[in-house]
Amino acid sequence: MKKAFFIITLITIISGLYSYSILEKETGNIIGNLDPYSAAMGSAVGAGGFRLFDSMVNPANLTGLKNGFGFQGTGSFLMDSDNRSLPMYNSFDAYCGDAVYASNVNTFADFAGGIYYKRVISDFELAASLQYRPQVSFKADYFEQVRNNRNSDDNGYPPKIAQNSIESKGGINAIAFQTAFKYMNIGSLGLEVAQLSGDSEMERSVIWTPEAQDMMNDTLNDTINTLEREFSAIQFIVGANIHFSKRFDLGLSFTPKTEFDITGNKDGVDVNNVVFVYTKFDSTGTPLDSLTFAQYILPMNARIGFSFKPRNIMQTVMNCDIEYIKWSDTNPLYDDAINYYIGVEHMINNKIPFRFGFNYTTSYGLHEDSGFVFANEITTPTFTTGTGFTFLDKFTFDISLEYSNRQYEALDLFMDSYYDHEDLWENYYYLNLQDRGWENPDTVKETFINLKSAISFKW
Amino acid sequence: MKKLLMVSLLIMLIISIAEAKIDLNTATLLELKTQLPITDKQANDIYDYRFYNSFFQSIYQLREIESIDQETLNSLKPLVSVSHYDEKDESAQRRDDIYYLIERLGSNEGLQEGMSDIWEDYLISPRNINKLAFSDILNLPNTSPIDVAAILNRVAVGDSISSYRDLRKSPGISYYGAKNLQNYVYYKEQPEVRDIYFDYQMKYNDSPYGDSEKEMYLESMIRFDYPDSDAPKTPGIKRQSYWGYFNMESDRATMMNKLRMRYKNQFKAGFIYETPKGSTPIFDSNSKTLFDEGKFYVGYENNINFLGKNFLKVYAGNFRATFGEGLVMENTDSYSPRKTGYGFNKRITGIIGDISRTQEYALRGIALDWKRNNMNAVVFLSSDKKDAVVYDSNENGELDDDDYILGYINMTNRFSNDELEESEAFFNTEYDDNVNQVKIAPRLDALQEDIIGGHFEYTPFIGTHIGFTGYEAVYDREFVVPEEDELKEILIYHSDYFDKWKITDNEITSMYSTKTTEYGDKDFRRVVGFDWRTVLNNTSIQGEYAELEIDGRLGKIGDDPSALLISSYTQFDNLYLITIYRDYDLDFDNPYHRSFSESERFDDTVFDKLTYGLNNTLLNDMYNNSAQPSAEKGIYFETRYQFHQMLTLNKAYLDIWERKSDARRGVRTEVKLEFKPIHQLRFRIRHKHQVKRYDDEMERGMSQADETELKFITYLSNYDKLQLGYIYARVLQPPYLSILSNPSEPGAADMAQAQTLTTGDMIYLDYTHNFNKNLKVIGAFSMWYANGASFWDFEDIELDFDHSDRGYKMWFNIHSRIANNVYLSIKYKYKQFLTRELEFRDYNDIPEEGEYYFQRVERKENIVRLQLDWKF
């Protein structure tokens, strides 16, 4: 048994993970859940969660934990497959499909841990916890090769002339203190105060190859752009659970807008002096409002959810959440959005939990084309499943798998005109190395597979 | 006496001892804790088991609780009892009993447009079979007119049907008719059911556009080879198509929310709001959007004693109106080929509340349906705005309110008018600032349509009726279909493509105009008709004749475009035979016509085949979502015959028809045979054969398609099922006809030089596993090598179309019954295939060595469907 415990612990720690989309390299990926129970339930734990990290959705969930001291260690492994393609046209000028020109598969890992204590005093149940967890991730990687058109007629590999890459690291972590109390069987209130701090480093580079330098007689200069930022803020979350009956619970949580203090530099220039995007223009095209790299805001969100425990030959729980995210807090170009979460747990043979769920979330991509900045809405449907078991009486192991697939349009990350040097290309006359703007965007297909595992222990 | 006293005392003693036992199904937690020799945890577990799992059916069920071991059970045996107890009300119990039928109705919902809701209501709240009218029974699934006549003939002579067994004895009723009817009716006593019902349903569907829709949106609106243009010739630009302009890459999900309420079978109300791809979600809607885009109804149905027995139906809001064979009026948006009106291809005649997904042909207003003795009268009024195709008839360079309408259009994606106008302005600017090249376009709510209609039916004796149906639609704008030459100018963007206009395009020129040189100017469309039915022994003969009145002489028969359908249905115990003859004139352009046909209107016209040459690619929807049948003349036979318990001809049909627009003849036959050596094993073979040919000197083309399917099904224990199948398809056809110069003038057609033979096959496997009665998982895998052939795949809740060069797909569906009245299903499908797009699209460019190679496009699709049903 000790061996089994050791192996499971190892799996849990090693598989701690997050990996993210290149889409969120600057704005960061807000981590919605950290617990495999919650993940398997489609992140629908607004009104009921039975693991420590379910309280990051609604701090009042803390009172759903068992009495005494407890610990949870969690990690995940997320694989992001990013296929970026060019539009293809037939001889009638009709768009007829996409040709994938860069395919990236990245994996990232992370972990979180927390402890809690809960006890009953008269009609009250009091609980408190301390957690260390990732809150926003800036991790993202992207690589593409630029090859010229030599040798392609001979079925040979054309030489690589440049290596393009974007590497983004870092994240914002939270040290969160939570407290919650429950009064009799009526309901509970919870509060989280979290110190959010972290940093991010992004490097965007175009590195010419020796072959390219040879062709251009060493006249090419590599390009490296950097953005380094440090973040700090205090975040509050309040939540409530109302226990209507043994069958029905209602949960509410509210997270106000969180504005960060930021220091850092972009290409060596203080971030306060670098305009990030223009968001509004007057009739003459003059920017009326702008954001800078020194502004970073997590949007206000409010969530309402219910948990329903019907009579079923398999013990069953169904959770549903609706979340309102005020994306316009972070950028006036964004519309506010509503996310949907649903999850079900069936106890097969009343012993083995089979959890499955679904969620539908909305986020935004920001694009700049010829000085015109706009946002496009991106929806991500996610299918989730998972299970878990208890061992050695005090330990609980949970595991979950989330699968998301989304498709959206985006601008070329490395515009073509940058490579417009006649000596680099064969039959240069026939080439049209112009930037593809929003009239001819890339199609990006992304698949996320996220495996989460956790061990909970209660003394 | 003493003995009696002793026995009584003994019984009382036993009763008192029995009463002293703790009833596991009613005991309080405190009683369990204090009156049984168990721990608090065990008491809690017993209580929770009862609360969260099920009531106890037997004491031995205690062993299913982890903390109760055999020893504890033995000690509890003499102390506890189990009474019969169930929280389910009669309705829930009934739903349990007929759940498989509801599931089956739900799986056919896509084809039936809301009819399954109606049938489900009658399953839950059955009606007294002895009090139903002819149409009430006939409107139920799988009942034939002969079955109905058999029932009514018994009731008419004062007899009453007292049970299912009694129903089976009705002279003339078929085994299947009675069997299908049994759950929709009651006999003597009404089952105890609740009075008020609510049904909420949410469906989320994240799936890609279909191939034809995608082709429509992808086609560039600025043609590279636009000959008259001095505008710069740009390479392909995605933004110059609707797909690119509207950023439709992520426009995938549709969401539907539907709420129904009823009080018994008397008061009914419903509301539906569907968010098609790319449109306003329900939470972002305002009250006006909800009213305009949503659908709702309130209705009342009841027997009323007023100067005799009357049955009255009144509906306000959206309603469905269907009469006869659907020649004059059947208002649905969906087209269904070979809709015979029998079996599961039924049409519910009369008036019903409508919260189906139909949008374009929805009726909104008030409808009254009154039945009395042997008469039935229906009057309906509707006032609604319809989407329509508008063209620049006044040639002022704009599509404005003064322009004429070409026809109705059922749009795949209902972009707002502002969005459409902005996109057209963009395309015009991209092409040339000074030229308005977009001369025709769809518009939302472009047309005010006010309908008054009615139906009167007289039944002289049981099984026989004659009915008259008519409606007049008054418009606030003119429908004008120009002459062929002018029409080509409007529809096709350049004269180079005019020779793609073929004789089949007569279907477009023969569309209805409110303003013609011959008949003058009017602001309405008027369709009238009559229908009849008579049941003679085991045969029912029925039909409908309708005319689209164009010459102003309403009473004269035979002087206007007309449509005729006559059908007969003969029934024996193990056999039925359907014969349908139909003859629809080409210019019988009734937008509410939905009768039997092989193909939909505008098949093979420029709306179908010339997407790349249309002035506005969105006109493709005229064909894509066409709901009207094409003009055909033909005869159809269908039969089912059970040779033996082990061998059944499940369905066989033969259709021979001629398409009116180009006199193309077709023959189609399909045979399905099932061999069942034992109940658990089924072997099925299906063969389809279809020939379409032109019978002229030119022998322009003949296509022949054959498809053979072998299927093996085995039913395992616990209702699990394993299914294996193989399909082989063979298509012999001329080279793509529409690419040839094939004008309508006789003798001017190109001759097809050769036939091409395509073969393809597909193998599939699916497995259904029931973990228990509340959790079912279905998984399936299929793979095909189609080479351009195509296969229809009947998945569990949808019909999928698999084609392309080669591909595979896999899917699973989790059906979970969360509680007695809450159902959830989640389906995920992954499909990967190589398209044949470039081969088809590059047809008239001869590849030169080194210039081209035919790249096939690989496509990967992910489909997620979610459905939640809450019945309370």
Side-chain angles (χ1 to χ4, degrees), chain A residues 83 87-98 246-247 308-318 320 322 336 338 340 342-344 346-351 354 356-358 360 374 376-381 383 403 405 407-409 432 438-445 447, chain B residues 47-55 64 87 204 206 218-220 222-225 234-239 243-244 247 249-250 252-253 255 283 497 612 771-775 812 814 816-820 822 824 826 828 837-838 841-845 852 855 857 860 862 864 866 868:
Chain A
N83 286 298
M88 273 201 305
Y89 298 87
N90 64 18
S91 58
F92 285 93
D93 224 9
Y95 167 65
C96 62
D98 304 300
K246 284 187 76 164
R247 296 227 181 277
F308 174 52
K309 300 178 195 69
R311 179 178 284 120
N312 193 313
I313 50 172
M314 311 161 279
Q315 213 169 83
T316 294
V317 179
M318 181 175 85
C320 285
I322 292 176
D336 299 342
I338 291 175
Y340 307 89
I342 185 167
V344 175
H346 286 309
M347 298 296 284
I348 308 282
N349 295 330
N350 293 315
K351 284 177 185 164
F354 169 54
F356 63 95
F358 176 77
Y360 177 85
F374 54 93
N376 63 337
E377 186 182 287
I378 296 163
T379 54
T380 310
F383 177 77
Y403 176 87
N405 183 280
Q407 185 165 327
Y408 55 89
E409 292 185 334
N432 186 23
W438 199 243
E439 77 285 353
N440 258 334
D442 289 347
T443 296
V444 183
K445 293 177 183 175
T447 303
Chain B
Y47 187 77
D48 281 351
Y49 182 88
R50 190 179 80 200
F51 195 80
Y52 291 121
N53 288 74
S54 80
F55 286 96
E64 291 178 13
E87 67 162 354
Y204 166 86
D206 182 8
L218 292 176
E219 187 67 51
S220 177
I222 310 296
R223 272 66 175 210
F224 187 38
D225 55 345
T234 51
I237 290 177
K238 206 170 167 182
R239 279 286 167 270
W243 184 271
N247 185 17
E249 209 67 65
S250 53
R252 292 165 50 106
M255 192 179 277
F283 288 106
Y497 288 122
Y612 57 89
F771 286 91
N772 51 53
K773 67 172 189 171
N774 287 354
L775 181 64
F812 66 84
I814 301 171
S816 164
R817 189 173 180 185
I818 308 287
N820 279 335
V822 182
L824 177 74
I826 293 180
Y828 171 75
E837 194 147 13
L838 286 189
R841 298 304 303 277
D842 281 346
Y843 44 77
N844 59 3
D845 278 310
Y852 265 81
Q855 175 71 52
V857 178
K860 294 171 185 171
N862 291 274
V864 178
L866 180 93
L868 180 71

Side-chain angles (χ1 to χ4, degrees), chain B residues 131 303-312 370-374:
Chain B
K131 292 185 178 175
N303 289 305
I304 291 175
N305 285 318
F306 177 72
L307 302 174
K309 285 184 180 173
N310 300 272
F311 182 77
L312 187 69
W370 172 62
K371 287 192 184 90
R372 180 187 170 89
N373 300 327
N374 47 7

Side-chain angles (χ1 to χ4, degrees), chain A residues 138-183:
Chain A
F138 290 94
K139 295 173 185 173
D141 287 323
Y142 177 82
F143 297 93
E144 68 176 38
Q145 296 178 349
V146 182
R147 291 177 182 266
N148 72 9
N149 53 346
R150 288 181 185 164
N151 302 330
S152 48
D153 287 349
D154 305 327
N155 204 23
Y157 289 105
K160 185 165 85 171
I161 56 171
Q163 169 77 50
N164 302 336
S165 65
I166 298 172
E167 290 178 77
S168 180
K169 295 187 288 190
I172 299 173
N173 297 313
I175 298 173
F177 172 74
Q178 295 176 326
T179 182
F181 75 91
K182 183 178 179 182
Y183 177 65

